[in-house]
Amino acid sequence: DGGITQSPKYLFRKEGQNVTLSCEQNLNHDAMYWYRQDPGQGLRLIYYSQIVNDFQKGDIAEGYSVSREKKESFPLTVTSAQKNPTAFYLCASIRRGGLNTEAFFGQGTRLTVV
Amino acid sequence: AQTVTQSQPEMSVQEAETVTLSCTYDTSESDYYLFWYKQPPSRQMILVIRQEAYKQQNATENRFSVNFQKAAKSFSLKISDSQLGDAAMYFCAYRSGGGSTNAGKSTFGDGTTLTVKP
């Protein structure tokens, strides 16, 4: 079955450490997105990528980095520069030419700094 | 930058009644799309309905319909015959179209938590 997979589901990080969240899709979608969701709040855009080897900053990119070396994969690194990284992270994708179509979302990764 | 505002953090409705969730957005773009998503406690995002900005006709999907007022930059969601399963957090979302310099950028509101009372 086609879908978008985020791993791990839960992630714990010590302060000062970098951590990478995985997002993989087998939907043959071109565009991929990373969002952060804090408790009781909406989704805030971190980074997005329309095609391989290209990505743009979203509204809260500071302290995060991404890569898009393969169409299927869009990993997000939360760096030590991110002041408050504890949050729920969602990855999404949409198909080529599908700006008017629904985004498919992963199940999310809950990151906790300990 | 595009912004999306949902002014109702929480709403409640009696089962079988109708409820309207508000959403306004701010943009200088002419090419864009609007969406409503539902997020139940499982946190899985589910598309409810979508609207192309160039279409004047309001979108409808079964019990869900929108009131799209382009000049006012308003995009409200009406849920008719509310069901217990409609209880969730609802997000309004804006996506820049292909004619925009920010093509594909998607912005969400802060959400409205809908409670359905039996």
Side-chain angles (χ1 to χ4, degrees):
Chain A
D1 289 338
I4 183 165
T5 302
Q6 291 185 240
S7 62
K9 189 172 182 180
Y10 299 97
L11 189 56
F12 296 89
R13 189 197 91 173
K14 292 183 178 180
E15 284 193 32
Q17 286 183 339
N18 292 354
V19 64
T20 298
L21 283 60
S22 171
C23 179
E24 303 276 334
Q25 53 95 1
N26 60 2
L27 299 165
N28 198 32
H29 285 180
D30 284 282
M32 297 186 75
Y33 301 78
W34 272 107
Y35 293 92
R36 169 183 173 140
Q37 185 176 26
D38 291 286
Q41 296 187 25
L43 281 64
R44 291 185 289 169
L45 182 63
I46 305 172
Y47 271 97
Y48 63 111
S49 168
Q50 298 295 298
I51 56 173
V52 174
N53 292 323
D54 188 38
F55 49 83
Q56 291 76 39
K57 292 182 179 180
D59 300 316
I60 57 164
E62 186 176 352
Y64 300 97
S65 66
V66 294
S67 63
R68 188 80 189 279
E69 298 177 359
K70 298 187 301 181
K71 187 176 185 178
E72 301 79 15
S73 178
F74 191 41
L76 173 74
T77 297
V78 184
T79 75
S80 57
Q82 169 52 234
K83 300 301 181 188
N84 184 22
T86 295
F88 185 66
Y89 291 86
L90 278 166
C91 179
S93 69
I94 60 173
R95 63 173 173 81
R96 173 189 285 273
L99 292 179
N100 64 332
T101 64
E102 72 174 297
F104 286 77
F105 286 82
Q107 297 291 327
T109 293
R110 180 171 298 281
L111 173 64
T112 303
V113 174
V114 296
Chain B
Q2 295 73 39
T3 59
V4 177
T5 302
Q6 294 180 247
S7 59
Q8 307 154 317
E10 298 179 350
M11 290 284 284
S12 66
V13 63
Q14 205 71 33
E15 194 176 5
E17 296 295 309
T18 295
V19 64
T20 298
L21 308 184
S22 300
C23 173
T24 59
Y25 58 95
D26 188 27
T27 186
S28 59
E29 298 175 337
S30 58
D31 183 15
Y32 56 89
Y33 306 95
L34 298 165
F35 304 82
W36 278 98
Y37 284 89
K38 167 184 176 180
Q39 187 182 45
S42 67
R43 308 203 78 163
Q44 179 64 43
M45 296 289 285
I46 302 166
L47 177 70
V48 175
I49 199 166
R50 61 181 178 173
Q51 174 83 41
E52 287 90 345
Y54 62 82
K55 288 186 177 178
Q56 292 187 334
Q57 186 173 5
N58 290 325
T60 299
E61 287 287 342
N62 300 314
R63 298 183 295 107
F64 299 89
S65 62
V66 298
N67 183 5
F68 175 46
Q69 301 291 325
K70 190 171 184 178
K73 296 179 183 175
S74 172
F75 183 60
S76 61
L77 174 69
K78 185 172 81 171
I79 306 174
S80 304
D81 185 25
S82 297
Q83 300 175 358
L84 296 177
D86 294 334
M89 197 159 189
Y90 286 80
F91 293 100
C92 179
Y94 171 105
R95 184 183 298 156
S96 298
S100 165
T101 54
N102 294 319
K105 183 179 181 183
S106 299
T107 304
F108 284 72
D110 283 340
T112 296
T113 300
L114 178 66
T115 301
V116 180
K117 299 178 180 178

